[in-house]
């Protein structure tokens, strides 16, 4: 058996300057633009009334008490727990004590909920719109060029995707058109953004939206604060409490023994 | 339960952990791109290139282990195996393939 003939294509060096480089530069710049667009699009958190902030923060206080319980001596922890549980159960921290037990209004009609959804929409739009635009741009200007050879073989299933616009049946799948370079840059540029924009940038994924405001996520407008308080009271009640200084003498002696 | 008690006595600071992971991730993405440049310039193809990447990341892990972690990986990482030796190997692969393809295309094909 002879070696299979290696297909070679002689390409104009201008293909590099006029296709490969522009796509790469445009992809990098789009990522940077998206990062700053996300910063601009972020709506400042709305000013809340004092009782609402109190309602949110007191829930966070209960959670903090629960997570840091082990550093408190037993007496202090029991006192705090008793206070928090009774206050939660009586609904002392509720922003609007009269609404207790009433059904929640439909979240679609609540303007605050709509705003949250709009924020998510904006994030998705900032991802989708540039991607479609750039794909359209590449398809319109650069389709039909074979620009590079992949260093690894692929199965023929990729042929229709990676060689779109190149109408040759027998061409090796390793020769790919400009659209596949676009895909490579789409997935591989994250480190580049990391070095340009610093870590936790929003050039590719918008994960940092969650971390914007602690407590706001837990107490979204669609959740009943009273229910959250009651469940938090229950969590405090069932917490298995162990003081961190329990048996510290033995540990200290063991350490120096 | 025993592990939980252990964590309560010797707590793990989340900020330091994130910082360590970030350092590893930065080193990984930079070296992955550079390995891609090397592999493309050397004209490696298919399996050779991927094996080259794996060997390269192993060497980099060893360097992180001996220089950045000073040989005491368990002091810097909660799970040294996953966070130091295997951390971000897959995410570095995409940038490796990017630069590999680019330089292979520029130099060889």
């Amino acid at each position: 058996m002879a070696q299979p003939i290696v297909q070679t294509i002689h390409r104009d060096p201008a293909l590099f300057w006029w296709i490969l480089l522009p796509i790469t530069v445009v992809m990098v710049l789009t990522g940077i633009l998206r990062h700053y667009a996300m910063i601009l699009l972020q709506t400042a958190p709305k000013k809340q009334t004092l009782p609402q902030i109190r309602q949110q923060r007191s829930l966070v206080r209960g959670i903090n008490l629960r997570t840091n319980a082990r550093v408190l001596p037993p007496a202090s922890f029991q006192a705090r727990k008793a206070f928090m549980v009774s206050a939660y159960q009586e609904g002392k921290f509720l922003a609007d004590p009269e609404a207790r037990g009433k059904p929640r209004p439909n979240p679609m009609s609540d303007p605050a909920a709509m705003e949250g959804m709009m924020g998510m929409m904006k994030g998705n739009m900032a991802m989708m719109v540039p991607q479609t635009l750039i794909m359209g741009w590449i398809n319109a200007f650069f389709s039909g060029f074979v620009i590079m050879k992949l260093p690894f073989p692929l199965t023929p299933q990729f042929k229709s995707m990676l060689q779109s616009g190149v109408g040759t049946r027998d061409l090796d799948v390793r020769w790919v058109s400009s659209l596949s370079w676009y895909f490579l840059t789409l997935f591989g540029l994250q480190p580049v953004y990391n070095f340009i924009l610093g870590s936790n940038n929003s050039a590719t994924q918008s994960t940092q939206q969650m971390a914007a405001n602690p407590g706001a996520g837990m107490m979204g407008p669609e959740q009943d604060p009273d229910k959250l308080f009651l469940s938090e009271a229950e969590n405090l009640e069932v917490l298995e409490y162990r003081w961190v200084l329990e048996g510290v003498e033995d540990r200290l002696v063991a350490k120096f023994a | 339960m025993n592990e939980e008690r252990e964590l309560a006595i010797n707590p793990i600071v989340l900020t330091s952990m994130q910082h360590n992971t970030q350092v590893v991730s930065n080193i990984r993405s930079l070296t992955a791109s550079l390995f891609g440049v090397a592999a493309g310039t050397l004209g490696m193809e298919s399996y050779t290139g991927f094996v080259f990447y794996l060997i390269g990341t192993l060497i980099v892990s060893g360097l992180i282990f001996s220089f950045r972690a000073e040989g005491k990986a368990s002091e810097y990482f909660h799970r040294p195996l996953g966070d130091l030796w295997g951390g971000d190997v897959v995410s570095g692969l995409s940038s490796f393939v990017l630069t590999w393809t680019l330089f292979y295309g520029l130099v060889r094909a």
Side-chain angles (χ1 to χ4, degrees):
Chain A
M1 274 297 281
Q3 286 279 315
I5 301 161
V6 179
Q7 293 175 331
T8 42
I9 297 177
H10 290 286
R11 288 154 305 143
D12 196 334
L15 285 175
F16 168 72
W17 293 107
W18 291 99
I19 298 182
L20 215 56
L21 204 64
I23 292 177
T24 317
V25 170
V26 164
M27 286 300 289
V28 173
L29 290 183
T30 320
I32 295 171
L33 184 73
R34 190 183 294 135
H35 173 71
Y36 287 110
M38 287 300 287
I39 290 177
L40 281 180
L41 283 176
Q42 261 171 10
T43 45
K46 221 173 53 178
K47 244 193 181 149
Q48 284 174 314
T49 56
L50 187 60
Q52 270 173 340
I53 294 174
R54 185 162 152 248
Q55 174 179 297
Q56 259 182 27
R57 293 294 137 186
S58 50
L59 185 69
V60 176
R61 187 176 159 199
I63 293 169
N64 283 344
L65 173 64
R66 187 151 49 88
T67 48
N68 298 321
R70 58 171 185 273
V71 300
L72 290 172
S76 331
F77 175 70
Q78 293 304 340
R80 281 173 173 78
K81 186 175 105 174
F83 168 70
M84 292 307 280
V85 166
S86 73
Y88 281 155
Q89 276 168 353
E90 286 161 29
K92 266 188 195 162
F93 300 126
L94 286 178
D96 154 21
E98 281 84 46
R100 223 180 155 188
K102 285 184 201 149
R104 301 292 295 166
N106 186 3
M108 291 307 278
S109 62
D110 191 357
M114 284 304 282
E115 212 156 279
M117 271 184 255
M118 278 300 283
M120 243 185 282
M121 282 271 286
K122 274 185 213 157
N124 283 337
M125 288 293 275
M127 284 298 290
M128 288 305 292
V129 169
Q131 273 182 24
T132 15
L133 277 182
I134 291 174
M135 263 181 88
W137 171 68
I138 288 171
N139 268 332
F141 280 82
F142 305 132
S143 75
F145 293 106
V146 169
I147 58 163
M148 62 194 327
K149 188 185 183 189
L150 292 180
F152 45 89
L154 290 169
T155 50
Q157 279 91 330
F158 288 98
K159 199 171 164 64
S160 61
M161 187 179 88
L162 297 183
Q163 289 183 358
S164 62
V166 183
T168 44
R169 248 184 334 114
D170 297 329
L171 191 61
D172 193 353
V173 199
R174 290 174 61 182
W175 293 98
V176 292
S177 64
S178 45
L179 200 61
S180 47
W181 176 246
Y182 162 75
F183 280 117
L184 276 180
T185 51
L186 188 67
F187 293 120
L189 278 183
Q190 177 66 44
V192 178
Y193 298 137
N194 275 349
F195 283 112
I196 298 176
L197 302 170
S199 55
N200 77 15
N201 62 73
S202 46
T204 43
Q205 260 90 42
S206 47
T207 44
Q208 87 286 26
Q209 282 173 335
M210 313 291 286
N213 190 359
M218 281 172 285
M219 195 172 278
E222 62 278 354
Q223 276 164 309
D224 190 349
D226 187 35
K227 288 226 179 75
L228 289 176
F229 279 142
L230 288 182
S231 74
E232 185 55 40
E234 208 162 292
N235 284 341
L236 275 177
E237 290 274 19
V238 301
L239 177 71
E240 191 185 342
Y241 167 74
R242 295 190 84 148
W243 193 21
V244 73
L245 289 187
E246 209 176 77
V248 68
E249 305 92 339
D250 298 338
R251 270 185 274 140
L252 194 69
V253 167
K255 200 172 182 180
F256 286 108
Chain B
M1 191 56 225
N2 209 1
E3 194 191 2
E4 203 173 313
R5 179 106 181 104
E6 194 59 39
L7 279 179
I9 293 167
N10 302 311
I12 287 176
V13 184
L14 198 66
T15 329
S16 319
M17 210 175 77
Q18 276 169 349
H19 176 257
N20 288 348
T21 323
Q22 189 65 46
V23 168
V24 170
S25 155
N26 275 346
I27 294 174
R28 281 257 186 263
S29 47
L30 188 65
T31 50
S33 303
L34 292 178
F35 284 136
V37 174
T41 318
L42 294 173
M44 294 182 172
E45 292 189 15
S46 62
Y47 287 119
T48 328
F50 289 111
V51 169
F52 177 75
Y53 174 69
L54 282 183
I55 292 173
T57 41
L58 209 64
I59 292 171
V60 169
S61 299
L63 290 178
I64 297 174
F65 178 75
S66 50
F67 287 109
R68 298 310 301 268
E70 290 150 358
K72 292 171 290 200
S74 52
E75 278 188 23
Y76 290 88
F77 298 96
H78 181 37
R79 284 181 302 272
L81 196 69
D83 293 338
L84 198 159
W85 296 96
D88 282 309
V89 171
V90 180
S91 67
L93 193 65
S94 64
S95 58
F96 168 73
V97 167
L98 181 82
T99 46
W100 182 22
T101 314
L102 180 66
F103 279 82
Y104 184 80
L106 290 181
V107 176
R108 285 294 163 116

